[in-house]
Amino acid sequence: MKLFDAHCHLQDPRILNKAPKLISTALDSGLLNFAVNGVSEKDWHLVKEMGDNYPSVIPCFGVHPWYVPQRSPNWFTTLKEFFETTPSAAVGEIGLDKGSKGREIDFNDQIEVFRQQLQLAKELKKPASVHCVRAFGDLLHIVKDIGPFPDGLLLHSYLGSAEMVPEFVKSGAYFSLSGYIMPMKVQKAKKMLKTIPLERILLESDAPDALPHLELSSLFLVDEDPSLPQEIFAHGRTAASNVLDYVANLLEISKEELAEISYKNSIRLFSYQGSKVALG
């Protein structure tokens, strides 16, 4: 069974020193690729370095909405330079946030930074990994305005409504599912999942961000590694199998079928010019 982690943060300080072990263990277990997303100018060099060192890592550069206030005056020029020197890179993590943390950040600034990066992704013919919290109406409006996106748009940890799915699909969106779907009401989650075309479903760990909320490990954490926080192993299984099992169950298909579908979808999305992955 092959898996593809469509969105994670292996450069995060909480797990950076564990990344070599996490990656090698993951590769052994069939998790073959990781789209590692930067969040601000401060970590783009780490993401680039990881991409240079590991064939399995797809580097992604972007300014996450939480880090919009920290951007430098030359942030956009620097971002474009990273793409020029890293042809294998995709765009991300970018987006909009009106949640508890996002509300502290000027929404007009968020929109301005998001639009610039989304436009850049379209010009570069690369997919963009998009964060959206309580701002799906705003997101859809901007996506319709700048799109469509023939090279794809990844809506990471998608928790939007079923009703919005067809509109996002028309714009070229893929829907990436993480452990965050598990606390949703089952009927709501099922309705939303059944609306997504199978050829647009991806799976992700969002490691390590999901850990404090769900007490789940990422897609690939090493079993019972004593040097990692024990709450990571509270459920005794990896989030990959948890999310894979959970989503497959709601879709009423086997986990093997979902793994194959999501893996092929990820390869298709990330097989842009210059990418490390290619369509078979």
Side-chain angles (χ1 to χ4, degrees), residues 84-136:
E84 283 167 17
T85 59
T86 322
S88 63
V91 177
E93 178 175 358
I94 67 176
L96 301 171
D97 196 310
K98 285 182 172 176
S100 55
K101 200 160 180 176
R103 282 200 300 270
E104 299 168 6
I105 296 149
D106 186 282
F107 197 63
N108 288 327
D109 284 354
Q110 288 189 44
I111 288 173
E112 182 189 336
V113 169
F114 176 58
R115 288 185 71 104
Q116 279 182 269
Q117 295 181 100
L118 199 56
Q119 187 68 52
L120 179 63
K122 187 168 182 178
E123 288 167 10
L124 294 175
K125 297 184 175 176
K126 294 175 181 287
S129 195
V130 177
H131 165 109
C132 186
V133 174
R134 297 182 183 173
F136 282 99

Side-chain angles (χ1 to χ4, degrees), residues 49-104:
E49 194 175 293
M50 203 166 268
D52 290 344
N53 291 339
Y54 298 99
S56 57
V57 167
I58 295 159
C60 308
F61 306 121
V63 175
H64 184 292
W66 294 355
Y67 298 92
V68 162
Q70 297 170 24
R71 73 195 188 282
S72 74
N74 298 318
W75 75 272
F76 196 57
T77 302
T78 306
L79 180 62
K80 288 189 283 189
E81 285 168 358
F82 266 90
F83 285 114
E84 283 167 17
T85 59
T86 322
S88 63
V91 177
E93 178 175 358
I94 67 176
L96 301 171
D97 196 310
K98 285 182 172 176
S100 55
K101 200 160 180 176
R103 282 200 300 270
E104 299 168 6

Side-chain angles (χ1 to χ4, degrees), residues 8-269:
C8 63
H9 302 279
L10 296 183
Q11 85 287 4
D12 187 288
R14 288 169 285 175
I15 56 172
L16 178 61
N17 64 334
K18 300 293 173 194
K21 189 172 183 179
L22 298 179
I23 290 170
S24 64
T25 305
L27 293 172
D28 289 342
S29 65
L31 182 55
L32 303 182
N33 294 95
F34 317 84
V36 176
N37 282 252
V39 294
S40 74
E41 290 163 90
K42 291 178 181 176
D43 72 0
W44 294 342
H45 70 286
L46 292 173
V47 172
K48 179 173 170 55
E49 194 175 293
M50 203 166 268
D52 290 344
N53 291 339
Y54 298 99
S56 57
V57 167
I58 295 159
C60 308
F61 306 121
V63 175
H64 184 292
W66 294 355
Y67 298 92
V68 162
Q70 297 170 24
R71 73 195 188 282
S72 74
N74 298 318
W75 75 272
F76 196 57
T77 302
T78 306
L79 180 62
K80 288 189 283 189
E81 285 168 358
F82 266 90
F83 285 114
E84 283 167 17
T85 59
T86 322
S88 63
V91 177
E93 178 175 358
I94 67 176
L96 301 171
D97 196 310
K98 285 182 172 176
S100 55
K101 200 160 180 176
R103 282 200 300 270
E104 299 168 6
I105 296 149
D106 186 282
F107 197 63
N108 288 327
D109 284 354
Q110 288 189 44
I111 288 173
E112 182 189 336
V113 169
F114 176 58
R115 288 185 71 104
Q116 279 182 269
Q117 295 181 100
L118 199 56
Q119 187 68 52
L120 179 63
K122 187 168 182 178
E123 288 167 10
L124 294 175
K125 297 184 175 176
K126 294 175 181 287
S129 195
V130 177
H131 165 109
C132 186
V133 174
R134 297 182 183 173
F136 282 99
D138 303 278
L139 175 63
L140 185 58
H141 176 76
I142 293 169
V143 163
K144 281 181 168 180
D145 186 37
I146 296 177
F149 299 89
D151 301 288
L153 203 59
L154 185 159
L155 302 182
H156 116 79
S157 288
Y158 185 72
L159 295 175
S161 70
E163 289 73 21
M164 282 190 170
V165 168
E167 290 297 321
F168 281 123
V169 167
K170 280 184 209 168
S171 296
Y174 287 69
F175 302 80
S176 190
L177 307 166
S178 72
Y180 286 114
I181 194 174
M182 295 169 85
M184 273 179 87
K185 287 182 180 173
V186 172
Q187 285 310 113
K188 185 183 177 187
K190 195 166 191 171
K191 184 183 176 188
M192 181 263 281
L193 286 171
K194 293 272 191 177
T195 318
I196 301 171
L198 283 177
E199 68 272 13
R200 297 293 182 90
I201 288 180
L202 310 174
L203 296 175
E204 64 167 82
S205 68
D206 195 23
D209 292 339
L211 304 187
H213 308 283
L214 296 177
E215 294 188 338
L216 291 172
S217 77
S218 73
L219 277 170
F220 44 80
L221 279 167
V222 187
D223 287 342
E224 301 293 344
D225 183 332
S227 62
L228 290 165
Q230 283 307 296
E231 65 268 18
I232 285 171
F233 307 106
H235 286 246
R237 299 177 68 194
T238 65
S241 59
N242 270 301
V243 176
L244 182 64
D245 290 350
Y246 189 76
V247 173
N249 186 46
L250 291 184
L251 287 172
E252 297 168 24
I253 61 176
S254 71
K255 66 180 181 181
E256 289 79 13
E257 191 180 352
L258 178 58
E260 185 180 0
I261 288 166
S262 62
Y263 180 78
K264 284 181 177 175
N265 292 345
S266 297
I267 293 292
R268 188 187 321 117
L269 178 63

